[in-house]
């Protein structure tokens, strides 16, 4: 009799919790403010298999940490090398000016990688998301990437990384205005730290710039602001897809990148950039390897970030990605001689302090709701 009651309790528990804990689903549905470039979605059985190959425990955490850190660390170095490098010699030196083409290649590689993940790890899940939602999301997605890559022609890489670290600001603003969300006081304080840090980083004393450029907000900064705004719109679109259609991350990665490939392909054909880009690669064939590696590290990095979120939660993932960004800035200063003043270092520390505190304490509203 006791055995029958015990089995009945186990069956009811399974019905209540499903094939895996509900908190795991909720933790994977964090707001876009707490992610880097990842697509966080409810966990499915097929998606769990990807991490299961690596075993469990500390080894898997080590693999996730090294995967995210190495992929995006190398991604950042390649991005600066491609977009800020000089090609040719003497008076014939050229700069890479093909931001559309770079994003096109990146989206194609991401699509192929997502298709691979779907085929081998998530083939059984049906996708009910409307195509127009993927199309709308892809427009803000590619706009953010093009703006971010283009900004590197006007600002150094540390400025770009720090600017892209401010995603919580537009996400929060759009969440409050468009989605009518409410955030805890701690999140507002964390965002205030980030704003203060960015203000200190962007501040330029009149006598500190030997070039005579005293502009605090130039064309590069405007491009970063546009990129951040579009990132926020992308996050709103993804939140809508997750809430109404339970869109899987691999499905989202595949279809958003497919639409983005179509949009960028049409763009480079219409503007004629494709032929200039192909001519550039013909003159400097070594850049092809850099672009392919850049795209591959982007795709692999997304996979490792998703794996980290599934098995260790958004907090662990936020710690890893925040640490990675800080060391990417440090590497850029050392490898590419990008100067940073003491005041800018203070601003950098404040930004990452705000991000870290937001990851740790800025989740009150979700927990309360649960």
């Amino acid at each position: 009799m006791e055995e029958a009651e015990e089995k009945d309790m186990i069956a009811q528990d399974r019905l209540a919790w499903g094939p895996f804990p509900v908190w795991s689903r909720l933790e994977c549905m964090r707001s876009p403010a707490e992610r880097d470039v990842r697509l966080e979605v409810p966990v499915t059985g097929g998606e769990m298999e990807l991490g299961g190959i690596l075993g469990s425990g500390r080894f898997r955490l080590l693999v996730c940490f090294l995967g995210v850190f190495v992929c995006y660390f190398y991604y950042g170095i390649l991005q600066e090398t491609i977009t800020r490098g000089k090609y040719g010699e003497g008076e014939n030196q050229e700069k890479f000016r093909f931001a559309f083409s770079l994003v096109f290649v990146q989206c194609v590689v991401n699509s192929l990688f997502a298709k691979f993940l779907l085929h081998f790890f998530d083939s059984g899940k049906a996708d009910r998301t409307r195509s127009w939602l993927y199309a709308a999301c892809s427009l803000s997605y590619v706009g953010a990437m093009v703006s971010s890559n283009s900004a590197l022609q006007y600002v150094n890489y540390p400025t770009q990384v720090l600017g892209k670290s401010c995603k919580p600001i537009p996400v929060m603003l759009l969440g409050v205005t468009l989605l009518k969300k409410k955030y805890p006081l701690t999140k507002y304080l964390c965002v205030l730290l980030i704003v203060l840090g960015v203000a200190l980083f962007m501040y330029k004393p009149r006598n500190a710039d030997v070039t005579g450029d005293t502009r605090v907000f130039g064309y590069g900064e405007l491009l970063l602001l546009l990129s951040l705004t579009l990132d926020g719109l992308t996050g709103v679109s993804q939140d809508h897809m997750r809430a109404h259609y339970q869109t899987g991350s691999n499905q989202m990665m595949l279809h958003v990148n497919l639409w983005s490939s179509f949009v960028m392909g049409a763009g480079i054909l219409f503007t004629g950039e494709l032929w200039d880009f192909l001519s550039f690669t013909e003159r400097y064939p070594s850049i092809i390897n850099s672009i392919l590696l850049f795209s591959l590290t982007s795709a692999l990095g997304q996979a490792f970030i998703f794996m980290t979120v599934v098995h260790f939660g958004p907090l662990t993932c936020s710690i890893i990605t925040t640490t990675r960004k800080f060391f990417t800035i440090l590497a850029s200063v050392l490898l590419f001689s990008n100067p940073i003043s003491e005041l800018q270092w203070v601003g950098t520390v404040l930004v990452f302090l705000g991000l870290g505190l937001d990851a740790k304490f800025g989740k009150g509203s979700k927990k309360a709701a649960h």
Side-chain angles (χ1 to χ4, degrees):
M1 183 69 179
E2 291 179 354
E3 289 183 4
E5 290 177 354
E6 184 178 358
K7 289 181 179 178
D8 184 62
M9 289 175 64
I10 292 174
Q12 291 178 3
D13 185 67
R14 285 179 176 172
L15 286 173
W17 289 88
F20 48 87
V22 170
W23 63 262
S24 177
R25 299 188 188 189
L26 294 174
E27 282 296 294
C28 290
M29 295 178 69
R30 304 298 302 169
S31 69
E34 298 171 11
R35 62 176 178 251
D36 185 8
V37 291
R38 61 186 179 271
L39 302 175
E40 300 169 47
V41 293
V43 185
T44 66
E47 289 165 343
M48 290 288 286
E49 294 174 10
L50 178 60
I53 295 174
L54 299 175
S56 60
R58 295 180 180 178
F59 177 71
R60 184 186 294 166
L61 178 60
L62 179 63
V63 170
C64 289
F65 173 80
L66 291 177
V68 172
F69 196 92
V70 172
C71 285
Y72 281 111
F73 189 82
Y74 195 35
Y75 171 90
I77 292 174
L78 287 169
Q79 186 181 36
E80 186 162 15
T81 301
I82 293 168
T83 56
R84 292 180 64 83
K86 293 182 179 180
Y87 304 87
E89 297 179 356
E91 297 180 355
N92 296 323
Q93 278 190 343
E94 300 180 67
K95 282 190 173 183
F96 187 87
R97 308 180 311 276
F98 312 104
F100 280 47
S101 300
L102 183 62
V103 172
F104 171 72
V105 175
Q106 187 177 352
C107 291
V108 169
V109 173
N110 284 347
S111 301
L112 294 174
F113 192 77
K115 185 67 176 177
F116 168 82
L117 293 178
L118 277 172
H119 180 73
F120 287 99
F121 302 108
D122 195 22
S123 58
K125 184 180 178 182
D127 182 30
R128 301 182 296 107
T129 310
R130 303 289 180 85
S131 296
W132 69 266
L133 279 174
Y134 285 132
C137 185
S138 71
L139 291 176
S140 57
Y141 174 70
V142 297
M145 287 198 293
V146 169
S147 302
S148 178
N149 289 333
S150 299
L152 281 172
Q153 297 180 21
Y154 306 95
V155 298
N156 59 27
Y157 191 70
T159 302
Q160 192 248 30
V161 172
L162 201 71
K164 294 292 285 184
S165 298
C166 300
K167 285 183 183 181
I169 299 172
V171 168
M172 178 179 285
L173 289 175
L174 290 170
V176 170
T177 56
L178 296 182
L179 301 181
K180 307 300 180 184
K181 285 187 175 182
K182 293 183 179 179
Y183 297 97
L185 178 62
T186 51
K187 185 171 283 291
Y188 287 102
L189 293 176
C190 291
V191 169
L192 182 62
L193 267 180
I194 295 171
V195 172
L196 179 61
V198 171
L200 288 176
F201 191 90
M202 295 296 185
Y203 175 70
K204 295 179 182 179
R206 289 184 178 275
N207 59 350
D209 196 340
V210 295
T211 63
D213 183 12
T214 58
R215 292 178 304 170
V216 175
F217 220 75
Y219 190 55
E221 287 80 8
L222 285 173
L223 285 171
L224 285 177
L225 180 61
L226 175 61
S227 179
L228 283 172
T229 304
L230 292 173
D231 274 332
L233 291 174
T234 302
V236 169
S237 301
Q238 292 171 353
D239 274 345
H240 181 79
M241 284 188 274
R242 286 197 302 266
H244 292 81
Y245 301 99
Q246 292 76 50
T247 310
S249 74
N250 294 332
Q251 292 281 4
M252 191 181 293
M253 183 178 175
L254 172 64
H255 290 97
V256 169
N257 279 286
L258 278 176
W259 275 101
S260 301
S261 300
F262 175 76
V263 171
M264 296 311 298
I268 60 178
L269 280 173
F270 181 77
T271 60
E273 181 181 303
L274 175 61
W275 316 117
D276 293 333
F277 172 69
L278 292 176
S279 178
F280 187 87
T281 57
E282 187 177 355
R283 291 193 300 274
Y284 311 105
S286 61
I287 198 175
I288 297 175
N289 291 333
S290 297
I291 292 175
L292 291 177
L293 280 173
F294 169 76
S295 303
L296 184 60
T297 52
S298 171
L300 284 171
Q302 285 189 15
F304 279 114
I305 279 178
F306 171 68
M307 193 187 304
T308 305
V309 173
V310 168
H311 294 284
F312 302 101
L315 175 58
T316 301
C317 192
S318 295
I319 293 171
I320 293 173
T321 54
T322 302
T323 305
R324 188 275 306 174
K325 286 181 180 180
F326 185 83
F327 280 99
T328 301
I329 289 180
L330 186 61
S332 179
V333 172
L334 296 176
L335 296 177
F336 297 95
S337 301
N338 288 315
I340 292 185
S341 66
E342 293 181 0
L343 189 63
Q344 287 179 316
W345 274 120
V346 172
T348 301
V349 171
L350 285 177
V351 168
F352 286 108
L353 178 62
L355 290 172
L357 292 175
D358 178 60
K360 180 69 176 176
F361 302 109
K363 306 187 274 187
S365 62
K366 291 235 176 192
K367 286 186 177 182
H370 175 55

